[in-house]
Each structure stands twice: as structure tokens, then as C-alpha cells.
Amino acid sequence: MAGSRERPSPAARDNRWKLVETTLRRHGHRAHSLIEALHAAQEAYGYLDTDVLGRLAGDLRLPLSKVYGVATFYNFFSLEPQGEHSCVICTGTACYIKGAGAIMAALEADGLKAGETSADGQVSVLTARCFGSCGLAPAAVMDGDVLGRLTPDDVLGRVRQWRTHDA
Amino acid sequence: MTRDELDEIASREIEARGSRRHHLHVCVAASCLSSRSDQVKKALEDEIERLDMAHQCRVTGVGCLGLCKEGPLVAVEPAGLMYHGVAPDDAHAVAASLGSVAVERLLLPSDLPFFERQRKVALENSGRVDPERIEDYIARGGYAALIDALTTMTPPGVVEQVMRSGLRGRGGGGYPTGLKWSTVAKASSPRKFVICNGDEGDPGAFMDRSVLESDPHRVVEGMALAGYAVGASEGYIYVRAEYPLAVERLRKAIKQAERLGLLGTAISGTTFSFKIEVRLGAGAFVCGEETALIASIEGDRGTPRPRPPYPAEVGLWGYPTLINNVETFASVAPIVRNGGNWYAAIGTRKSKGTKVFALAGRVANTGLIEVPMGITLREIVFDIGGGIPDGRQFKAVQTGGPSGGCLPEQFLDMPVEYESLAEAGSMMGSGGMIVMDDTSCMVDVARFFMEFCMTESCGKCVPCRVGTVQMHDLLSRITEGRATLADLALLEELCDVVQHTSLCGLGQTAPNPVVSTLRYFRDEYMAHIVDQRCPAGVCRMPQAREVTA
């Protein structure tokens, strides 16, 4: 979704819906493919808005309440648009022991709270329960790159760079 | 695919390999990859090309070589050398050294206890095969167990070998695998399922990830063997969406196996058919619980249901279902190939075989290890792990994640077994092993795990939903120096209630980190409550704040 925080036009939506439909078709539009469909929709749209959830409910013949219930149960699904850049801090045990808390505190001191997107729409800070990269603790995934042995300054530096470059 | 055809693929592969004198195995598992081992691999390939050595040296991307801390790792075969911390700039030195003197500055000593003390079964191919090429797996004896079982063994015969091996569930529960298999095999039903649990949600554990990334075919073969043994023709692998590389390699492996007729209908000319589908998890720890995992595959919220009936009788869509963890399935092919007795000869009387651990935290050598059961914690932490760095003091080793406990120094010489760990107040768990030194506050560690359980509680049953919140609140008060001894008494009472009245394993084991730290580090709790002091200096106490202000 190229970082756009505006509502996409209906045509653009339909193009992306085709990606979701491939998944739905592969599973024969059966209700039990809901989670797979949610993954596909989030991949295509970047997040799951009410329209998309409604469309999935219609296609799979499920009540919207059920679709909403499943989408909100799992941490992986996001019902809000994400920022241009993403910074996922690992808060697993190994990272906790090796100082992930200090990284979170540094980000928070910079006005970035976990689970939120910065007001300028540039950066989303998320936390994850262990990426399984414990040998690299403390670790973070910044725009898809797994980075290890981080200090608070490493993370802050990159985040600040994003915010000034793209401003 | 017959055994002859399989052997032909293997010999063709071995021949192709034998024509080259050197093999460079570059670790491209998650950890080394994040230190840019892909660039190292590219640089080595370019250098080999430039030096016109392609006919005598092959560069292969392989799975985890184990010593994650020293990555990117490159193994030189057949010389048996291992280079660490290799940068793309080192490509020339490495390529030029082939067949002559090794590059001293990059060389890891060959007699490191890290490697010597290990015994690899589930990980025997990890770091040796290219996880993206089925031919490479076949060349190392892969799928031979499956074809031999299908053509020369009966399904009860396969169950018998697993039974004899003494293998127990590697997901943490430790239930005898053979017994589980025979229950599903005996269930009469027109349809049965095999599920591989790859929802490795324990923070601090990355065994399943490494197995799936390093040797995905091993898991596929194990599942197919299980399908044959219990009479199921459909399998699902449930993997965390947070492990994209594992998912990608697994999907590729399944496609390759289908192409060669090792999955699909009438495998190896027999009446046995088996297909595997991948299902993505979506970030819910509770889905590691088998009934919650089944609910998730069915497209529902991952909430558990009471057992019995167990999934072996009433599982996916109501049919008998065999659920085992990734590491369990990864151990099956060698058991079938070498016989159950071979496996049972490793380990101790009640805990057979080997166990994979993800060693992390305050320990010099972090990485993935596989050790025989019965090894002591001291050997793991101090010999394999290389001890505590920065001259600090060992304090505890945590096993079993949020369901486990912290064991202090007095247990270092205890053998690692299901029973001994449980008696000491911890558990085997799936294999996360976090070492803590004197900079860790044990009360804060307990609070950390309780926060995890509180957030991950699915909310279905009251003791877990409400109890974890209350316990977290009490632990927070202690770490903030606001608690009284009455709070401590209440905390202990809540531990008891939540343990005994929760619906599933998540709630039943959530108090374990509190119980074990109270048992061995009660003095730290008392210091927080009575003296308002954090001995490790982690928690910010009211007075301490005044001093620094």
C-alpha cells in the first residue's frame, strides 16, 4: 500500500482483492480458510479494515462478528494502517535478559510507543514475542531486516534517520 | 518412486559432489543470515568463479551450523574446518586457502567443547544439506526410511519401532510418542489426520525454527511415516507466520516431495497416499496447546477445550488426530532407519535419545545444540555454553519458558531428564534454555513471564484470565517496592488456585516461574518487600529513585 494512509480508491482495492480471491478459491471458499484469507488480505492491503472484513464475511458466509473476533484474537493481524516504516522489537526472554527493555524505553522517550504509529505516519513500533533469533539478542526487525546485538542508540539512530529522510 | 530410483538420485548427487574437491557450506539460517551471510555466500561464489575453481569447489547454502554467536559461519568440507565471523571481504582468503593452509584468523578450534559434547540426531543434517534441494537430502539417506517402511514394514511395525525407541514428546509434555501413535492407529475412523505443531511460541526458543529452516524434508518424511503408521492420509503443518523463511522452505520442500512422488497418491507404488498442507499461525501463544491449535486450523479463535476426549480420539473436524511437535517428527526417520533399539541406547532409563536446546541469555556461546539426555546442566552451560561472559556470576538457568522454572546453582549437576527437571520445579519444555547471571532480578523475571501469560491468556476460563492479571499486579507491586507480606501470601495462594483450576496448560503452568523463584530465591522477594531493595539493582525502588534524583 506504499505507505499511503488515505483510503484507497475502489479500483485499487479491487486489484488487491484479486490476490485475496486466489487464496479463497484455493480453499474452495470454505469457512475454515478464514485465517488463511485474513493473512492474504493483510498481505494485499497492509492491514484489515472493516470493508475487507465485511467482504471476507460475505464470501465465506460467516457472521461479521466471527470474522472480527478471529481477526482481533490473533496478534499478527492489524486493524489499523501501519506507518511507512516498521520497527518490531523482540521482547522474548533472551532479549529481555539482554536489555530489550532499554530499547523500548529509549523509543518511548522519543515519543514512540509500542503498538502505535507515529503522528507523522512514518514509523510503527511493534513488539513481538520472540523471533527465534535469541542468539542475536537483543534483536529487532526493522523494515523486514533482522538486526541483532542492538543498543538503544542503534535503534533510535535508524528510526530518526527514517523520520528525517522521508519528512 | 522406488528404492532403486531413490538410490539412483542419491548416487548421482554423490557423484556430482565427488567430482569437486572442496565444498564450502555457508550457513544461511536466520541468525547468520541477519549478519549478512547471503552476501558472504555471493562473494564466495564470485571469487570461486573468478579464480576459475568452479570445477573443484562448490558453494552451498546450508542450515544452522549451531554456534549462532560466531556467525556468519562457513564450513569447509571435507577438510572439516569451520570459519567464523566471515565477511564478504574474506572471500578471497578463504577461496585461496582451499587445498593449502587454512586462514588462521577466521578459524574456529576444531576441538571446541561446543561441538564435541553434542550428539546429533534430529539435527544430523542441519548445516550439511542444502535445505532447498531434495536431492541433497536424498543423498544423505533421506526418504529411504519412508520407502523402506512402505514396502517392507506394516503400519503396526512402524509404531512398534517408535514405541521401542522410547521417544517422548519433544514439545515439552513428554508424553510417550509411541503410545500416542498406537492410540491413533487403533482408532477406527474413515478419516484421520496428522498435525505437526510448529507454533513455537515460547519466548527464548528457536529449535523448531532451525529444524524447519535447515532440514525441512526431515519433518516432511517424519510426518509421512506417521501417516502410514496411524492410517492417516492428510497432514497439516502449523507454523508461526513470524518465521517466513521456515514457511518458504517448508512449502518448497513439500512441492519437491510431491514432484518426486514422495507425497501424493500411491506413494512408491503402494496404496498409501499422503498430502501435507501448511497452515500459518497468527501470533497466539495458546495455539501451542493442541486443542487450541486444532481450533485455529479450523479457522477459529485459538481457544482450548477440555480434555478428554483427547485429539487422538476426537481431533481435527472430529476425527482422530495425531499431533506431534517439529522436533519429534524430525527424530522419526532415523528411528525407523536404525531401529528403535538404536535410539533407546542413547539417554537415560526414562528419557531416551537426544534433545535440542536453544541456548541463549548470559552465556558465552549462544546457539542451537543437541545433546544426549542425561547430560548435566553444568556441562551444557559451562562446557558447551562456555560459561558466563564478562566475569559475572552464574545465577540461574531457565527452562520451559513461561511454563517452566528457574534452577539455581545447586542443580547444575543434575542430569537433564523429564522427571528430574520436573522434580526440581522446572520442566523440559520445548527446549528454550536461558542462562541468567547476577544482573538478573528473579522477581522481575517472574513478573516478565507473568506479563507474558497475562497477555497471551485466551480469556476462556476465569482462573487464567483473571488470575494472571492479579498475579502480575502483585508482582509489579513487589518490583516497585510497594508490596506487603500480605501481598506475598495472596500471591502464593493465587499460584495454587490458578495452577489447579485453569482449563489448559497455559493457565495451569503460568504460576510456575513464580513458584520456582519463590522456592529458590525467596530472599530476593523478601529484600524487595521488607527492605525495599532490589539485590540485582534491576527494579527501581522508591528510595533508590530519591537517591539518584
Side-chain angles (χ1 to χ4, degrees), chain B residues 370-523:
Chain B
E370 183 169 2
V371 289
M373 293 279 193
I375 191 170
T376 64
L377 286 169
R378 189 183 298 280
E379 285 172 281
I380 293 180
V381 175
F382 288 91
D383 296 343
I384 296 175
I388 316 297
D390 308 328
R392 308 224 58 118
Q393 275 290 309
F394 170 88
K395 188 176 213 173
V397 53
Q398 210 278 347
T399 63
S403 310
C406 299
L407 299 178
E409 195 162 6
Q410 71 200 78
F411 290 101
L412 276 177
D413 293 308
M414 185 182 75
V416 172
E417 291 175 297
Y418 288 95
E419 279 74 19
S420 60
L421 284 167
E423 268 165 39
S426 186
M427 67 184 287
M428 180 72 78
S430 56
M433 193 175 271
I434 312 269
V435 181
M436 298 174 193
D437 65 12
D438 52 358
T439 58
S440 286
C441 166
M442 302 318 280
V443 186
D444 197 57
V445 166
R447 189 201 52 78
F448 166 81
F449 282 117
M450 194 52 72
E451 186 185 345
F452 181 88
C453 290
M454 174 180 77
T455 345
E456 293 297 331
S457 173
C458 78
K460 182 168 177 171
C461 73
V462 178
C464 175
R465 183 181 67 226
V466 182
T468 51
V469 175
Q470 294 304 323
M471 286 192 284
H472 180 259
D473 187 40
L474 289 166
L475 287 162
S476 301
R477 292 173 68 134
I478 300 176
T479 55
E480 287 158 15
R482 298 188 288 119
T484 63
L485 286 172
D487 288 330
L488 186 63
L490 183 59
L491 179 66
E492 294 195 270
E493 194 185 330
L494 271 173
C495 283
D496 187 53
V497 171
V498 174
Q499 240 167 6
H500 291 101
T501 57
S502 293
L503 170 61
C504 83
L506 196 161
Q508 287 159 12
T509 59
N512 285 2
V514 186
V515 174
S516 80
T517 47
L518 269 170
R519 186 161 151 195
Y520 302 120
F521 301 95
R522 201 176 183 92
D523 52 325

Side-chain angles (χ1 to χ4, degrees), chain A residues 25-79:
Chain A
R25 213 175 310 126
R26 198 174 62 236
H27 293 284
H29 299 268
R30 278 176 301 183
H32 65 72
S33 59
L34 174 58
I35 294 175
E36 294 290 302
L38 288 169
H39 274 295
Q42 179 155 301
E43 179 104 11
Y45 292 92
Y47 72 107
L48 304 164
D49 71 4
T50 323
D51 284 0
V52 169
L53 294 180
R55 241 174 132 163
L56 284 175
D59 190 283
L60 297 170
R61 296 172 183 234
L62 286 166
L64 181 57
S65 59
K66 158 117 189 207
V67 175
Y68 182 80
V70 171
T72 50
F73 181 86
Y74 294 97
N75 297 328
F76 199 77
F77 299 128
S78 167
L79 275 63

Side-chain angles (χ1 to χ4, degrees), chain B residues 46 93 101 103 165 188 254 274 311 325 341 364 387 417 429 477 533:
Chain B
D46 291 349
V101 188
V103 189
S165 73
S188 67
I254 293 169
F274 196 69
N325 144 282
N341 292 336
E417 291 175 297
R477 292 173 68 134
R533 182 177 62 84

Side-chain angles (χ1 to χ4, degrees), chain B residues 70-135:
Chain B
E70 300 283 359
L73 297 168
V74 177
V76 187
E77 300 292 347
L81 306 174
M82 175 103 66
Y83 291 131
H84 67 116
V86 183
D89 293 347
D90 297 322
H92 176 73
V94 171
S97 77
L98 292 172
S100 80
V101 188
V103 189
E104 198 61 41
R105 69 190 162 85
L106 299 174
L107 199 61
L108 274 177
S110 59
D111 56 348
L112 275 188
F114 182 86
F115 296 106
E116 282 201 325
R117 291 295 180 91
Q118 296 194 49
R119 167 99 197 234
K120 308 239 170 149
V121 175
L123 297 179
E124 64 180 356
N125 288 336
S126 182
R128 298 184 169 271
V129 299
D130 179 345
E132 307 202 357
R133 291 189 67 237
I134 191 170
E135 294 82 5

Side-chain angles (χ1 to χ4, degrees), chain A residues 27 32 34-36 39 66 69-70 73-77 91-94 96-98 129-136 145-146 149, chain B residues 31 34 69 203-204 206 209 240-241 243 279-283 296 298-300 302 317 361-362 366 440 444-445 448-449 452 455-456:
Chain A
H27 293 284
H32 65 72
L34 174 58
I35 294 175
E36 294 290 302
H39 274 295
K66 158 117 189 207
V70 171
F73 181 86
Y74 294 97
N75 297 328
F76 199 77
F77 299 128
T91 56
T93 317
Y96 153 76
I97 294 286
K98 289 204 165 175
R129 291 300 192 185
C130 199
F131 312 138
S133 300
C134 311
L136 297 169
D145 291 338
V146 183
R149 296 179 200 108
Chain B
S31 186
S34 71
K69 175 202 145 210
F206 53 97
R209 167 185 201 146
R240 295 180 77 196
Y243 290 177
R279 280 287 179 276
L280 292 186
S296 187
E298 291 173 349
D300 248 312
W317 290 301
R362 299 275 181 193
T366 51
S440 286
D444 197 57
V445 166
F448 166 81
F449 282 117
F452 181 88
T455 345
E456 293 297 331

Side-chain angles (χ1 to χ4, degrees), chain B residues 245-268:
Chain B
L245 190 61
V247 173
E248 185 193 316
R249 290 192 177 154
L250 197 52
R251 287 205 165 122
K252 202 177 250 180
I254 293 169
K255 272 215 183 91
Q256 291 172 343
E258 283 168 350
R259 190 168 37 96
L260 291 185
L262 293 161
L263 286 177
T265 47
I267 299 170
S268 201

